Amino acid sequence: MAARRRARAERRAIERALAAEGALRERLARLEPGGDGTRPIEVTSASVIEPRALAHRCVACGGELRLVEHRARSELREVELSCRGCGRARVLFFRIVRPS
């Protein structure tokens, strides 16, 4: 009985550590370009937004992302993505800048 409790406690400790690491990775991803509206990824055309967004990987598991929605918000484009593996949601922000 004691061995079973230790195994369960160890498994729960590992799960908590993985959840904490995932939360940390998500906070770091929000600091990268595109992670929020104050640091959008700059592109020259709307046609490159979706391919650029899909080139990113899931911050939790490294899996492939799928497009959920692409919205135009004033000067920003907001792309909602979801991981094909773990299902975690991610939002990336883009701004279209005209070449000078």
Side-chain angles (χ1 to χ4, degrees):
M1 180 95 156
R4 193 171 94 191
R5 282 188 183 191
R6 273 184 283 205
R8 180 173 178 245
E10 186 176 322
R11 186 175 61 250
R12 290 180 66 205
I14 291 170
E15 288 171 357
R16 282 191 302 273
L18 288 173
E21 181 182 345
L24 178 61
R25 285 178 187 231
E26 205 157 307
R27 282 196 307 262
L28 288 172
R30 282 193 292 266
L31 295 174
E32 292 178 355
D36 72 11
T38 62
R39 288 180 295 284
I41 298 169
E42 294 185 348
V43 294
T44 57
S45 168
S47 65
V48 299
I49 291 175
E50 291 178 12
R52 292 271 310 266
L54 293 172
H56 285 79
R57 304 299 278 187
C58 176
V59 294
C61 71
E64 185 178 328
L65 298 172
R66 70 175 179 83
L67 180 72
V68 175
E69 189 173 0
H70 177 173
R71 296 181 287 273
R73 304 244 181 213
S74 64
E75 65 187 42
L76 293 178
R77 298 293 180 109
E78 188 177 317
V79 180
E80 186 178 338
L81 305 155
S82 176
C83 178
R84 292 183 186 273
C86 69
R88 181 166 275 176
R90 182 162 188 204
V91 176
L92 290 173
F93 295 87
F94 292 84
R95 180 179 329 155
I96 300 171
V97 292
R98 303 292 176 214
S100 48

